[in-house]
């Protein structure tokens, strides 16, 4: 269901944000320039992942809202038919 997908994406975003914080901490405590470059590349990948997951969450949210609207319309139509 869309709700489960949204929950999964939300959990992935949370994990990616946690990973981002860890990488930022590593970056700040690293003095080796080659290691900093490697960590920075990982940071950029994680940030892109967070953006991508955010976009997916937005799409799922729109689908969920659309389905809710349809369900409400059907419910209203059914209620009117039985009144």
């Amino acid at each position: 269901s869309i709700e489960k997908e949204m929950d999964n994406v939300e959990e992935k975003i949370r994990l990616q944000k946690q990973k981002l914080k860890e990488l930022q901490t590593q970056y700040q405590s690293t003095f080796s320039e080659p290691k900093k470059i490697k960590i920075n590349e990982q940071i950029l990948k994680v940030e892109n992942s967070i953006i991508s997951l955010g976009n997916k969450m937005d799409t799922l949210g729109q689908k969920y809202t659309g389905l809710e609207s349809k369900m409400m319309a059907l419910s209203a139509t059914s209620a009117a038919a039985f009144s």
Side-chain angles (χ1 to χ4, degrees):
S1 79
I2 290 178
E3 290 174 337
K4 285 184 182 181
E5 274 189 79
M6 290 175 75
D7 289 343
N8 287 339
V9 171
E10 191 174 321
E11 180 63 15
K12 287 179 184 179
I13 290 171
R14 189 189 65 74
L15 292 172
Q16 289 296 306
K17 286 183 176 181
Q18 182 179 342
K19 184 175 180 178
L20 180 61
K21 284 182 183 181
E22 291 169 5
L23 286 169
Q24 289 170 333
T25 300
Q26 284 179 12
Y27 183 85
Q28 291 172 353
S29 64
T30 300
F31 297 101
S32 166
E33 200 56 39
K35 282 187 179 181
K36 278 192 162 203
I37 290 169
K38 186 175 180 178
I39 293 170
N40 194 49
E41 288 173 358
Q42 291 176 310
I43 287 172
L44 292 174
K45 286 179 185 177
V46 171
E47 287 174 339
N48 282 333
S49 176
I50 292 170
I51 291 168
S52 177
L53 289 166
N55 290 338
K56 185 173 183 176
M57 183 65 100
D58 290 344
T59 301
L60 289 170
Q62 290 171 358
K63 285 182 184 178
Y64 184 79
T65 301
L67 287 174
E68 269 193 335
S69 296
K70 287 179 184 177
M71 293 292 285
M72 288 175 67
L74 285 173
S75 178
T77 303
S78 296
F82 291 108
S83 305

